[in-house]
Structure formats: C-alpha cells, structure tokens
Amino acid sequence: MAYSIALNFEDGVTRFIEARTGETVADASYRLGINIPLDCRDGACGTCKCRVESGRYDGGSYIEDALTEDEAASGLALACQMRPESDLVLAIPASSAVCKTAGQSFATVLRGVDRLSETSIAFTLEAPAGLSFLPGQYVNLRVPGTDEHRSYSFSSTPGDATLSFLVRDIPRGRMSTWLRGGATPGEAMDFTGPAGSFYLREVKRPLLFLAGGTGLAPFLSMLGRLATVGISQPVHMVYGVTNDADLVGLAEIEALAARIPSFTFSTCVAAEESMHPRKGYVTAHVAPEHLHGGEVDVYLCGPPPMVDAVRTWLAAQGVTPTNFYYEKFSPSGAVTAIGESNRQVA
C-alpha cells in the first residue's frame, strides 16, 4: 500500500509524494528527487527532524540526542526513521529551494465564470490530473495574455472534479478585468502550486473560523473536507464583510451546515448603513462559548487590518487559543506575516 505524504516547506511550497509500504519518508523523498535535510540516515544526528501535522506513523529507532521524548510527544519525528501508517502532512524546516524542488506547474482550462455580486466573482477550472492540495491552500494563477500571476485560495474540496475560486472584483485589477470581459469557457489557463501554510490541520479540539470578505474561500474548502470525512468537534464560523454586496456564498455555507451537524455560523456587515441584522466586525459576534476557554484552534483569513484587530482582541479577552493559524491577503500587493505566504490577488 502506498501513502500520500504532503511535504510543506518553509516558503509555503507543498509537494505531494507517495511512500511505498515500509519505506521511510526520507527514502521516498530522495527517490523522487526531493532532497529534504538529511545527514546520517541512522537516527543519530536529528538533521531530518520535521513536524507531523496529521497522520499515523511508526517513528522508528533513534538516539536521544537526535530526538528527545518530549520532542516526539510534541509531534516531531525523524524523516529518516519514520514509516507512514496513513497519509501524512509534514512541516519541513527548510525552503523548497534548499531541498532542490519547487512548486509544480499545471495546465488547465476555464470552465465558467459566475458574477456573485457587484463586488465578487467566482470562477471554476478543470482539475488537472496529478493535482493534490490541502484544504485552505492557494495557487498562483497566470493572468491569460500576460506574464503576471495572482494568488487565489481554493474554495473547492480536494478531490473535486473542478477547482473553484472566490475573488473580489477590483475595478482595475488585471485578473478581475479579464474575468469580467475577456474570459471564455474552454480558454487555456495555467498555475503553479499548491502553496501556503494556512491549511486545515488534524482536528483535535473545537474550531473557530473567522472569515473576512473573499477570505471565505479557504474555509469553504476546509468545510467541504470536514463534510466529507466527518467531525464530532464543534465548528463555528463568523463571516464578516464591509458592505451588504460583499456577503456572498450563503447558500453554499447553509448546504455545508446541513452536512456537518456540529457546524454553526453567523454573518455580519461592518457598514453602518447596512440592513443586515448583525452589524460590526467579526470580533463583536464571537461569543465566549466559541473560545472554549482557550481550548480551541482559531483559523483566520482576511485583510491585514482584520488579522491585526483579531489578535489585539484575543489578547484583550485574556484568551490564548491552543493554536492560531492566520493568513493575510491584500488586493494591492504582497503581505508578510508569521505562517503565511505572499499574496497578490487583484
């Protein structure tokens, strides 16, 4: 039996490999030309230490100097010794370039464009053969007819026959302008990826999702995954936008809520003139029970001011989530923050 291993590198590039029965992660990586950090291959140096984000494995044999009991208990493992017993997601403490690999390139075609509102556009592509991704990740799409690329998170679920994306319509944005005027179903498109350290980890405790604007997209992918595999932990999402026209995707969210019994959600609009029943920012609509006294994994995707505001708000509540994963995006350029990748989305 072969197991799928997602190697997520420090620069956000993700490569999927298959490990054969009884094969170590290091041997599978090197067999496919991916040179993850490695020295001794005997469990003695600790050079190949990585973090296991999800999955089961046999940790193999090693000495204390290479991997301590506390490190192993915290989810660290040695790639030269570990043998998968299920699919795995691993965080590799090195860049893809250092490991002599890079993001994969894929060719596909446009399936359709759907204007959801005056400010939002959805589009779909055919899923090319060989593509795998983690729910929450993104790709770098080339704007047809140019050498420019834009980054968009998948809103579709891994394994779907089509890839879907939710984007904000920027009046002078290169991709937005093409989608608005020149996009034709069947037209060739290409992208590199998947990429990003913002993805759904193994669910071990309650989840709180905070989505801002088109930052909803990765959560649709995550929820689609949870609906497929099942979940017993409570999941709550607060989805906030600036204006009424920005509030899209509600039918899809409601359909996911029907498939996930433990999932609840609320929406809010920041504009004072809004007719929405819940006004204000997402933090005004997070109830104490959604924080579970800190025993919660918080996922946040939105523009930089939203991310900064949520971090400040959490500190003011005196609550430190067990895990806090976030991704910032900006229509005007790249943003850098801990655990997130450069994004340009217009």
Side-chain angles (χ1 to χ4, degrees):
M1 174 181 289
Y3 294 111
S4 175
I5 315 297
L7 304 174
N8 199 52
F9 299 98
E10 280 185 336
D11 53 356
V13 170
T14 298
R15 287 296 306 269
F16 285 79
I17 64 172
E18 282 198 348
R20 298 165 179 166
T21 302
E23 190 175 30
T24 67
V25 169
D27 286 345
S29 299
Y30 274 77
R31 175 170 54 81
L32 296 169
I34 300 175
N35 298 356
I36 61 176
L38 192 64
D39 244 350
C40 69
R41 287 183 179 265
D42 298 318
C45 69
T47 303
C48 63
K49 197 178 299 180
C50 58
R51 179 165 298 281
V52 183
E53 301 281 9
S54 66
R56 294 177 289 103
Y57 59 96
D58 178 345
S61 301
Y62 47 85
I63 64 174
E64 180 79 4
D65 286 347
L67 187 71
T68 67
E69 278 189 27
D70 287 345
E71 287 176 325
S74 73
L76 293 176
L78 300 180
C80 76
Q81 295 298 305
M82 63 186 303
R83 289 175 168 81
E85 295 178 342
S86 74
D87 293 346
L88 295 176
V89 178
L90 305 179
I92 305 298
S95 70
S96 59
V98 166
C99 297
K100 297 185 179 179
T101 188
Q104 293 175 283
S105 297
F106 295 92
T108 183
V109 297
L110 180 70
R111 288 283 295 271
V113 179
D114 184 14
R115 172 167 286 284
L116 303 180
S117 75
E118 62 191 60
T119 62
S120 302
I121 301 174
F123 66 96
T124 57
L125 310 175
E126 287 188 7
L131 172 68
S132 297
F133 63 92
L134 302 172
Q137 289 193 304
Y138 67 90
V139 293
N140 293 302
L141 275 158
R142 185 176 62 83
V143 181
T146 77
D147 292 325
E148 297 186 41
H149 291 76
R150 296 293 183 267
S151 301
Y152 297 114
S153 297
F154 296 101
S155 59
S156 48
T157 304
D160 286 354
T162 58
L163 309 176
S164 60
F165 303 88
L166 172 64
V167 303
R168 184 171 180 81
D169 185 1
I170 307 298
R172 295 186 179 180
R174 296 298 297 270
M175 185 68 83
S176 301
T177 300
W178 179 77
L179 288 170
R180 237 185 288 117
T184 304
E187 186 163 355
M189 297 192 73
D190 58 78
F191 61 83
T192 59
S197 57
F198 185 73
Y199 54 83
L200 182 66
R201 270 66 174 182
E202 185 173 2
V203 180
K204 299 180 179 179
R205 57 191 60 84
L207 303 177
L208 174 61
F209 291 166
L210 302 176
T214 54
L216 173 66
F219 294 114
L220 294 177
S221 182
M222 293 181 188
L223 289 167
R225 176 63 176 169
L226 294 176
T228 300
V229 302
I231 181 175
S232 58
Q233 295 283 1
V235 184
H236 184 71
M237 181 173 72
V238 183
Y239 168 32
V241 299
T242 302
N243 300 296
D244 289 341
D246 305 326
L247 199 60
V248 298
L250 297 183
E252 188 170 354
I253 299 171
E254 289 168 355
L256 288 163
R259 296 173 59 196
I260 309 172
S262 63
F263 171 55
T264 56
F265 73 95
S266 62
T267 56
C268 58
V269 179
E272 286 292 334
E273 64 275 14
S274 169
M275 299 301 292
H276 195 276
R278 288 174 297 277
K279 294 186 179 66
Y281 299 109
V282 295
T283 50
H285 302 282
V286 177
E289 59 264 28
H290 299 143
L291 295 174
H292 299 273
E295 185 60 23
V296 63
D297 287 347
V298 177
Y299 289 78
L300 165 62
C301 185
M306 176 185 177
V307 175
D308 296 339
V310 169
R311 297 181 71 181
T312 300
W313 178 82
L314 282 171
Q317 307 311 301
V319 174
T320 302
T322 302
N323 290 297
F324 182 28
Y325 306 108
Y326 65 88
E327 183 171 65
K328 298 179 180 181
F329 64 83
S330 171
S332 59
V335 179
T336 301
I338 295 173
E340 72 99 35
S341 302
N342 294 336
R343 307 291 300 279
Q344 187 173 2
V345 301

